């Protein structure tokens, strides 16, 4: 068995899910909300957001889009385009025409399928050189969200804002600053290990957090008990205590790592992971980890190699001396 073995249910995030549902309830009552869900890669941000969107009885217009890791500045408005594409499939033509309203022609430049009569525009509105066009687009989107939320609240999920291009960041800034009584809950996910040292991006996050109705939700690691519960959900039966303890220790409570370790163990009768806590990592997990540090500077790589040998806790003087930097 290779890859990952996913749990059929969300584990260990009941409190966080309740807070997100409360944000949606506020939006339904006419109090717009913005929640930034932050945490390291694999900690469960996307799973939590998906659980919110797919919650039984969630009577919302769900719009879900993702920022993309595209070179040279990213793809303008990528999450908005993804969300609108889904909306175009979900609504009947008359309802779609009503909620798009005067924004239809502009938004059709992002998603050609939204064009009336199949005649999309020829350019993306509001480019960097077109400040007036961008302001017009944002105002049109404001009206679009207000119309869409008239019958039931809008849940707009923007995944991976650490990869957001400048246009998408400006759009989110505008929405967070201006949505007040509109029935909109805006949820964004952020990989904290991908933010880097960009002071401009960090300042942007601070400004978003200062806006009225904003909240930051940081996801920490799962506890050993929650890891055991996750393994039980994956396997369909209680795991052996040595296996659960070994996976909890090796994964550090990272849900994605738990899945990969269980998948690797299941391929060898669950003995390889549970009985040899220091055994070789599964190839899929090794590749996942290596990808996150492949482009670091050579001096950083030297320190990481020392940490890999020293373990999770190492004296700072030893760490300073060992790489010979």
């Amino acid at each position: 068995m290779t890859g990952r073995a996913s749990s059929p249910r969300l584990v260990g995030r009941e409190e966080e899910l309740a807070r997100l549902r409360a944000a949606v309830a506020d939006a339904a009552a006419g109090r717009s909300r913005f929640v930034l869900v932050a945490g390291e890669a694999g900690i469960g941000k996307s799973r939590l957001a998906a659980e919110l969107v797919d919650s039984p009885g969630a009577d919302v217009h769900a719009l879900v889009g993702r920022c993309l890791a595209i070179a040279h500045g990213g793809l303008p408005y990528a999450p908005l385009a993804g969300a609108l594409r889904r909306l175009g499939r979900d609504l009947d033509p008359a309802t779609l025409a009503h909620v798009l309203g005067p924004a239809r022609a502009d938004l059709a430049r992002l998603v050609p399928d939204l064009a009336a009569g199949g005649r999309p525009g020829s350019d993306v509105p509001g480019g960097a050189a077109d400040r007036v066009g961008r302001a017009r687009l944002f105002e049109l989107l404001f009206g679009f969200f207000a119309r869409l939320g008239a019958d039931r609240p809008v849940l707009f999920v923007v995944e991976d804002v650490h990869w957001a291009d400048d246009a998408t960041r400006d759009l989110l800034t505008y929405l967070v600053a201006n949505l007040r009584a509109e029935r909109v809950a805006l949820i964004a996910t952020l990989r904290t290990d991908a933010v880097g040292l960009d002071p401009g991006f960090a300042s942007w996050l601070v400004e978003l957090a200062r806006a009225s109705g904003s909240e930051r939700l940081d996801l920490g690691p799962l506890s050993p008990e929650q890891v055991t519960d996750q393994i039980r959900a994956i396997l369909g039966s209680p795991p052996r205590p040595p296996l659960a303890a070994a996976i909890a220790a090796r994964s550090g409570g990272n849900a994605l790592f738990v899945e990969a370790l269980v998948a690797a163990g299941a391929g060898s009768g669950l003995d390889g992971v549970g009985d040899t806590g220091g055994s070789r990592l599964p190839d899929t997990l090794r590749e996942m980890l290596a990808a996150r540090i492949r482009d670091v500077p050579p001096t950083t790589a030297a320190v990481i190699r020392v940490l890999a040998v020293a373990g999770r806790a190492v004296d700072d003087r030893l760490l300073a001396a060992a790489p010979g930097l």
Side-chain angles (χ1 to χ4, degrees), residues 144-314:
F144 158 75
F145 279 115
R147 288 188 296 275
L148 184 61
D151 63 331
R152 60 183 189 267
V154 178
L155 173 58
F156 184 20
V157 178
V158 179
E159 292 266 27
D160 298 326
V161 293
H162 45 276
W163 288 326
D165 64 285
D166 290 343
T168 299
R169 283 167 58 175
D170 286 348
L171 172 61
L172 293 177
T173 299
Y174 179 88
L175 292 176
V176 171
N178 289 281
L179 290 172
R180 287 291 179 269
E182 290 70 28
R183 302 192 338 138
V184 178
L186 175 57
I187 311 295
T189 66
L190 169 73
R191 259 182 58 184
T192 50
D193 54 303
V195 171
L197 301 177
D198 180 357
F201 187 84
S203 298
W204 177 65
L205 292 178
V206 170
E207 289 303 312
L208 289 184
R210 292 176 55 187
S212 175
S214 294
E215 177 184 2
R216 175 164 171 152
L217 184 58
D218 287 284
L219 301 189
L222 298 175
S223 68
E225 294 77 17
Q226 290 168 336
V227 169
T228 300
D229 191 19
Q230 183 184 0
I231 300 171
R232 182 187 299 111
I234 293 171
L235 299 179
S237 61
R240 294 182 298 110
L243 169 70
I247 291 181
R250 297 198 73 184
S251 68
N254 183 294
L256 181 66
F257 297 167
V258 171
E259 292 177 350
L261 289 168
V262 171
S268 56
L270 296 178
D271 294 324
V273 176
D275 297 337
T276 56
S279 62
R280 176 183 173 86
L281 284 176
D283 287 342
T284 53
L285 185 52
R286 179 180 294 274
E287 291 164 5
M288 238 189 296
L289 294 169
R292 293 166 61 178
I293 60 174
R294 189 168 290 128
D295 298 325
V296 301
T299 52
T300 305
V303 174
I304 290 174
R305 281 193 291 271
V306 171
L307 287 169
V309 175
R312 293 174 185 250
V314 56

Side-chain angles (χ1 to χ4, degrees), residues 99-100 138-148:
V99 297
L100 290 176
F138 291 176
E139 279 295 316
L140 288 171
L141 280 169
F142 189 89
F144 158 75
F145 279 115
R147 288 188 296 275
L148 184 61

Side-chain angles (χ1 to χ4, degrees), residues 24 28 55-61 151-154 183:
V24 175
S55 294
D59 189 18
V60 298
H61 288 292
D151 63 331
R152 60 183 189 267
V154 178
R183 302 192 338 138

